Amino acid sequence: MLVLVTGGAGFIGSHVVRALVEAGHGVRVLDAVLPAAHGAAACPPPQPPGVAFVRGDVRDRAVVEEALRAVDAVCHQAAMVGLGRDFDDVPAYVGCNDLGTAVLLTAMARLRVSELVLAGSMVYYGEGRYDCARHGTVRPGPRRAADLNAGRFEPVCPRCGDPLTPGLVPEEAPPDPRNVYAATKVAQEHLAAAWARATGGRAVALRYHNVYGPGMPRDTPYAGVASLFRSALARGEPPRVFEDGGQRRDFVHVGDVAAANVAVLGAVGAAIPDGTLRAYNVGSGIPHTVGEVAAALSAACGGPEPVVAGEYRLGDVRHITASSSRLRRELGWLPRVPFADGIREFAKAPLRGRASVRR
């Protein structure tokens, strides 16, 4: 099978490319090699033997159509990620993520490429699953600046105000995007579902949780918290932990995420009915707090201990952890990299160069 990997020179995309090659697939990469992901030099990284590289923007119709020639399936990894700097980033997020996806899907429809694996995200859900002792499973409302300023970080039951117990969120949970990046990731899934219905294609959305591992970009706001902590330690600075560090996340190694792409790609034609989109959470299934990750990285790097700042970002959520049982049950995927081993590797692994130009 010949697979086009958009964003295949990026952090997750490059691992997906290597996993596909190792699984025996032909691979073509389409990547704009933007400075925010690749550093100021923005040079294309070397590709595995036999992988064709096309430098171009996923929003460029002509480039996308050329990259899709003779392709059997697409792994769509190209996206602008993270919360960014401020609301001025909105046009860039919508352009990269939603317009780019629309251009890609239009070209796939025209060229009759019928299989899509989409890099989704846990941000689809907003806050994760919560249970109230009196009212069962509930969805807390938006976080309020007044509560956060007062150090009240934990959400409460919207009906009675009692404390909530966080749990694992399943794929059936409704979308509840709570920042601009999240809104674009939900829109990507809706566009992919519309494409599948209109063309009879088959789409899978892999809702990645907190992906970490070798090759993350350094010193950029367009990255996950693990990258920010690792970048600080590389500068000899303590990781700066927002809120009280008790935010629960599911940290999954990039190698396991790449393996999920391979597992899903091989099953799309057989397991996913024509004209549909199927979503799968991709997480380790074992929650860790943000504070735990900062402390583990500091210890593994031999660097300064984390600083708990008490600061917050209003667009963040408190707890979001996955149930990946559907992916395990239906496709036999299992995460292979234990948290402790992955953190030790990540602490010593090189990061991508400093990004000095905004997307």
Side-chain angles (χ1 to χ4, degrees):
M1 180 182 290
L2 178 59
V3 184
L4 175 66
V5 182
T6 70
F11 164 48
I12 297 176
S14 61
H15 286 268
V16 171
V17 167
R18 287 193 290 272
L20 288 169
V21 170
E22 290 171 2
H25 296 289
V27 179
R28 184 180 297 152
V29 169
L30 172 63
D31 201 299
V33 198
L34 297 177
H38 298 274
C43 297
Q47 300 297 313
V51 173
F53 181 83
V54 178
R55 183 164 186 167
D57 197 305
V58 75
R59 293 167 290 187
D60 186 325
R61 172 178 162 181
V63 169
V64 171
E65 289 194 355
E66 182 60 31
L68 281 170
R69 299 291 177 189
V71 160
D72 300 299
V74 175
C75 282
H76 184 30
Q77 308 293 319
M80 187 173 179
V81 302
L83 290 185
R85 297 178 185 271
D86 50 44
F87 208 75
D88 286 344
D89 281 327
V90 172
Y93 273 104
V94 174
C96 286
N97 297 355
D98 297 341
L99 176 59
T101 299
V103 171
L104 173 67
L105 293 173
T106 301
M108 290 177 65
R110 184 176 294 114
L111 297 176
R112 293 185 169 84
V113 180
S114 61
E115 296 189 13
L116 172 70
V117 180
L118 171 68
S121 174
M122 65 176 187
V123 296
Y124 179 97
Y125 305 111
E127 290 282 354
R129 173 180 173 142
Y130 292 88
D131 291 308
C132 171
R134 286 199 279 175
H135 297 109
T137 300
V138 298
R139 294 189 67 79
R143 304 177 86 188
R144 301 187 307 168
D147 291 332
L148 299 173
N149 286 331
R152 295 189 294 268
F153 301 122
E154 292 291 342
V156 297
C157 177
R159 297 176 62 182
C160 67
D162 283 356
L164 298 174
T165 301
L168 301 181
V169 62
E171 289 88 353
E172 293 82 8
D176 185 18
R178 299 200 173 193
N179 56 59
V180 171
Y181 170 60
T184 66
K185 298 306 289 184
V186 172
Q188 280 187 306
E189 287 200 27
H190 289 175
L191 289 168
W195 163 83
R197 286 192 296 270
T199 66
R202 297 173 294 273
V204 169
L206 293 177
R207 293 175 183 161
Y208 302 155
H209 283 247
N210 286 71
V211 187
Y212 73 97
M216 293 190 85
R218 64 175 295 171
D219 296 328
T220 170
Y222 306 102
V225 67
S227 175
L228 300 179
F229 292 162
R230 178 72 172 77
S231 296
L233 288 163
R235 298 191 301 269
E237 301 171 3
R240 194 170 183 83
V241 179
F242 278 21
E243 300 182 21
D244 60 0
Q247 309 95 303
R248 286 160 54 99
R249 298 289 188 269
D250 187 325
F251 290 86
V252 58
H253 191 272
V254 67
D256 288 330
V257 170
N261 276 268
V262 175
V264 168
L265 184 67
V268 166
I272 311 300
D274 292 353
T276 62
L277 178 144
R278 184 76 164 157
Y280 295 96
N281 286 329
V282 183
S284 71
I286 303 175
H288 292 275
T289 68
V290 171
E292 284 179 298
V293 173
L297 274 174
S298 291
C301 290
E305 294 184 0
V307 172
V308 179
E311 300 172 58
Y312 66 86
R313 296 184 297 184
L314 196 59
D316 272 337
V317 298
R318 181 61 177 175
H319 303 299
I320 173 67
T321 55
S323 169
S324 300
S325 60
R326 174 184 289 180
L327 186 56
R328 299 179 186 213
R329 182 178 66 253
E330 294 185 4
L331 299 179
W333 172 86
L334 289 172
R336 303 291 184 186
V337 182
F339 176 78
D341 294 347
I343 289 293
R344 281 194 296 269
E345 175 202 34
F346 180 48
K348 306 300 181 183
L351 301 176
R352 293 173 187 264
R354 178 187 299 270
S356 62
V357 181
R358 294 178 64 190
R359 290 195 190 198

